[in-house]
Amino acid sequence: MPERLKDARGLAALFEEIIVLLELKVVGQPQWHVFPEPGGVTGLTLLAESHLTIHTFPEHGFAALNVYCCRPRLCPDFEDLVVRHLGAVSCRVRELRRRVET
């Protein structure tokens, strides 16, 4: 798993699958920053709906994925996604619903 957390191409494939599954609209080019060893990768894709980000910490075997979307969507199987793309052995998904007062 730690090697996958350093692989910007592999992380981009995870983003692509999320974008397709949730029918998101990408604005501009995704941005990736690969940190020097032993660091990981930070990725950002700006969306018409908001943003998609990931921060990886291979030295700790940890990744934080944020899918922020202003439109309701069905929640994909994030556990399956991170197991397949990152080789995760555990995954915690937290869904925070936006509440807009009118």
Side-chain angles (χ1 to χ4, degrees), residues 38-96:
V41 177
T42 290
L44 164 71
T45 296
L46 185 61
L47 305 169
E49 300 85 0
S50 196
H51 67 267
L52 174 59
T53 62
I54 193 163
H55 306 283
T56 70
F57 303 87
E59 68 274 25
H60 300 292
F62 176 79
L65 174 67
N66 182 302
V67 182
Y68 197 79
C69 187
C70 64
R71 291 189 288 150
R73 295 277 196 261
L74 293 177
C75 187
D77 186 346
F78 282 109
E79 186 169 335
D80 175 67
L81 287 167
V82 298
V83 166
R84 284 190 294 109
H85 287 274
L86 305 180
V89 295
S90 68
C91 174
R92 182 171 53 168
V93 176
R94 290 182 16 184
E95 182 179 357
L96 304 173

Side-chain angles (χ1 to χ4, degrees), residues 13-30:
L14 170 61
F15 272 30
E16 286 299 317
E17 187 166 352
I18 291 169
I19 289 164
V20 169
L21 284 172
L22 295 176
E23 299 177 352
L24 301 170
K25 293 174 183 52
V26 175
V27 176
Q29 292 296 312

